Amino acid sequence: MEVGYTNTNNIQDTLAIYTALAPWLPLPLDPPGVGGYGKAMGAGWWSGCCHCGNGGRGRLWVLLLLLWSCQRASPQCPERCHCTWESGEVQCMDGGLREVPQGLPTDTVSLHLERNLIRSIPEGAFRDLPHLRDLHLSHNRIESLSSGALRHLSADLRLLDLSHNRLRQASREEFGSTRAKTRLFHNPWHCDCALQELVEMLNLEPETVNEIVCESSARGAGEGGRWEEAGGAGEHAGQPLVKLLDSGVNFCSLQRKTTDVAMLVTMFVWFFMVIVYVVYYVRQNQAEARRHLEYLKSLPSPRKAATETDTLSTGF
């Protein structure tokens, strides 16, 4: 049976409050216990309230209000989950859950979500769990992690289990700065630079590190200049990522080389545009200068005009 905060604890709290208030209540009642609740209801408690007038009904409403207050003040256990309040453990295994349940108790220490149908982890899914130390997400269908999905995990987190899922790619942004022991094995990983950097950052569980296997891979350093065919698995398919890195394969080298080439091409295009603009500017200036010179040549010469005036003066 699923146990929540509102089950036995509420009745016991109400019983304690009732016992404390019993001397001031005018009703000759026995407190309704957990086991004999129905018996007490039928043995005079309810009938007495019905025949004791408005004062008795007022006392009844006080008891009902106390019960409602205790239920409202108590936190709830999510549906399809079992909560153990003493240890702070929340078990939601085999519940058919399709997403991380809402309303998890804030004092949760160990959260078990194994063997569900969860496909993604949204950002801030565990933001309100400051005491979380063990997070079990294995045997789900997780295909992606939102940016910063695990960034808000507690600094005291000891174990993060993401094994037996459908993760293909992941980067440091999704995991934040967690230092918990992490399980990533049995996922269809695409080994590339982002995964290499992530593996180098995480505190992987030593017993399972060799089970992080590349289902497909990008081309690493020293593997020729031919690009991988689209959709190809790569020659590293089926090999453990850690062993590839130990053997000298570097998936980040191709990315850095591609970045350098892109920068060189960009600089060449920029210089070419500058040169084209300079040539265009010079030619435009030359054309303007020629047109201005032709205009000046077309104007009447001042010297010729003075000679014609002298000739006329001599004739007169």
Side-chain angles (χ1 to χ4, degrees), residues 92-97 113-118 136-140:
C92 306
M93 299 91 71
D94 301 297
L97 299 174
L113 293 168
E114 304 100 309
R115 297 186 296 277
N116 281 290
L117 305 175
I118 300 173
H136 300 266
L137 292 164
S138 63
H139 295 89
N140 276 280

CSV table of all heavy atoms in Angstrom, one decimal, residues 92-97 113-118 136-140:
chain,number,residue,atom,x,y,z
A,92,CYS,N,9.9,5.6,-6.5
A,92,CYS,CA,8.9,5.7,-7.6
A,92,CYS,C,9.2,4.7,-8.7
A,92,CYS,O,9.0,4.9,-9.9
A,92,CYS,CB,8.8,7.1,-8.1
A,92,CYS,SG,8.6,8.4,-6.9
A,93,MET,N,9.8,3.5,-8.3
A,93,MET,CA,10.1,2.5,-9.3
A,93,MET,C,8.9,1.9,-9.9
A,93,MET,O,7.9,1.7,-9.2
A,93,MET,CB,11.0,1.5,-8.7
A,93,MET,CG,12.4,2.0,-8.2
A,93,MET,SD,12.2,2.5,-6.4
A,93,MET,CE,12.1,0.9,-5.7
A,94,ASP,N,9.0,1.5,-11.2
A,94,ASP,CA,8.0,0.7,-11.9
A,94,ASP,C,6.6,1.3,-11.8
A,94,ASP,O,5.6,0.7,-11.7
A,94,ASP,CB,7.9,-0.7,-11.3
A,94,ASP,CG,9.2,-1.5,-11.4
A,94,ASP,OD1,9.7,-1.7,-12.5
A,94,ASP,OD2,9.8,-1.8,-10.3
A,95,GLY,N,6.6,2.7,-11.8
A,95,GLY,CA,5.3,3.4,-11.7
A,95,GLY,C,4.7,3.8,-13.1
A,95,GLY,O,3.7,4.4,-13.1
A,96,GLY,N,5.4,3.5,-14.2
A,96,GLY,CA,4.9,3.9,-15.5
A,96,GLY,C,5.0,5.4,-15.7
A,96,GLY,O,4.3,6.0,-16.5
A,97,LEU,N,5.9,6.1,-14.9
A,97,LEU,CA,6.0,7.6,-15.0
A,97,LEU,C,6.6,8.0,-16.3
A,97,LEU,O,7.6,7.4,-16.8
A,97,LEU,CB,6.8,8.1,-13.8
A,97,LEU,CG,6.3,7.8,-12.4
A,97,LEU,CD1,7.3,8.3,-11.4
A,97,LEU,CD2,4.9,8.5,-12.2
A,113,LEU,N,13.8,6.5,-9.3
A,113,LEU,CA,12.9,6.7,-10.5
A,113,LEU,C,13.3,5.6,-11.5
A,113,LEU,O,13.0,5.8,-12.7
A,113,LEU,CB,13.1,8.0,-11.1
A,113,LEU,CG,12.6,9.2,-10.2
A,113,LEU,CD1,13.0,10.5,-10.9
A,113,LEU,CD2,11.1,9.2,-10.1
A,114,GLU,N,13.8,4.5,-11.1
A,114,GLU,CA,14.2,3.4,-12.0
A,114,GLU,C,13.0,2.7,-12.6
A,114,GLU,O,11.9,2.7,-12.1
A,114,GLU,CB,15.1,2.3,-11.3
A,114,GLU,CG,16.3,2.9,-10.6
A,114,GLU,CD,16.1,3.0,-9.1
A,114,GLU,OE1,15.0,3.7,-8.7
A,114,GLU,OE2,16.9,2.5,-8.3
A,115,ARG,N,13.2,2.2,-13.8
A,115,ARG,CA,12.3,1.4,-14.5
A,115,ARG,C,10.9,2.1,-14.8
A,115,ARG,O,9.9,1.6,-14.4
A,115,ARG,CB,12.1,0.1,-13.8
A,115,ARG,CG,13.3,-0.8,-13.7
A,115,ARG,CD,13.0,-2.1,-13.1
A,115,ARG,NE,12.6,-2.0,-11.7
A,115,ARG,CZ,13.4,-1.9,-10.7
A,115,ARG,NH1,14.7,-1.8,-10.9
A,115,ARG,NH2,12.9,-1.8,-9.5
A,116,ASN,N,11.0,3.3,-15.3
A,116,ASN,CA,9.9,4.1,-15.7
A,116,ASN,C,9.9,4.4,-17.2
A,116,ASN,O,10.7,3.7,-18.0
A,116,ASN,CB,9.7,5.3,-14.9
A,116,ASN,CG,9.2,5.1,-13.5
A,116,ASN,OD1,8.0,4.8,-13.4
A,116,ASN,ND2,10.0,5.2,-12.5
A,117,LEU,N,9.1,5.3,-17.7
A,117,LEU,CA,9.1,5.6,-19.1
A,117,LEU,C,9.5,7.1,-19.4
A,117,LEU,O,9.1,7.7,-20.4
A,117,LEU,CB,7.7,5.4,-19.7
A,117,LEU,CG,7.1,4.0,-19.4
A,117,LEU,CD1,5.6,4.0,-19.9
A,117,LEU,CD2,7.9,3.0,-20.1
A,118,ILE,N,10.4,7.6,-18.5
A,118,ILE,CA,10.8,9.0,-18.6
A,118,ILE,C,11.7,9.2,-19.9
A,118,ILE,O,12.7,8.4,-20.1
A,118,ILE,CB,11.6,9.4,-17.4
A,118,ILE,CG1,10.7,9.3,-16.1
A,118,ILE,CG2,12.1,10.8,-17.5
A,118,ILE,CD1,11.4,9.5,-14.8
A,136,HIS,N,18.6,8.1,-8.7
A,136,HIS,CA,18.6,6.9,-9.5
A,136,HIS,C,17.6,7.1,-10.7
A,136,HIS,O,16.4,7.2,-10.5
A,136,HIS,CB,18.2,5.7,-8.7
A,136,HIS,CG,19.1,5.4,-7.5
A,136,HIS,ND1,20.1,4.5,-7.6
A,136,HIS,CD2,19.1,5.9,-6.3
A,136,HIS,CE1,20.8,4.5,-6.4
A,136,HIS,NE2,20.1,5.3,-5.6
A,137,LEU,N,18.2,7.1,-11.9
A,137,LEU,CA,17.4,7.3,-13.1
A,137,LEU,C,17.6,6.2,-14.2
A,137,LEU,O,17.3,6.4,-15.3
A,137,LEU,CB,17.7,8.6,-13.8
A,137,LEU,CG,17.3,9.9,-13.0
A,137,LEU,CD1,18.0,11.1,-13.5
A,137,LEU,CD2,15.8,10.1,-13.1
A,138,SER,N,18.1,5.1,-13.7
A,138,SER,CA,18.5,4.0,-14.7
A,138,SER,C,17.2,3.3,-15.2
A,138,SER,O,16.1,3.4,-14.6
A,138,SER,CB,19.4,3.0,-14.0
A,138,SER,OG,18.7,2.4,-12.9
A,139,HIS,N,17.4,2.6,-16.3
A,139,HIS,CA,16.3,1.8,-16.9
A,139,HIS,C,15.1,2.6,-17.3
A,139,HIS,O,13.9,2.3,-17.0
A,139,HIS,CB,15.9,0.6,-16.0
A,139,HIS,CG,17.0,-0.4,-15.9
A,139,HIS,ND1,17.9,-0.3,-14.8
A,139,HIS,CD2,17.3,-1.5,-16.6
A,139,HIS,CE1,18.8,-1.3,-14.9
A,139,HIS,NE2,18.4,-2.1,-16.0
A,140,ASN,N,15.3,3.8,-17.9
A,140,ASN,CA,14.3,4.6,-18.4
A,140,ASN,C,14.5,4.7,-19.9
A,140,ASN,O,15.2,3.9,-20.5
A,140,ASN,CB,14.3,6.0,-17.8
A,140,ASN,CG,13.5,6.0,-16.4
A,140,ASN,OD1,12.3,6.1,-16.4
A,140,ASN,ND2,14.3,6.0,-15.3
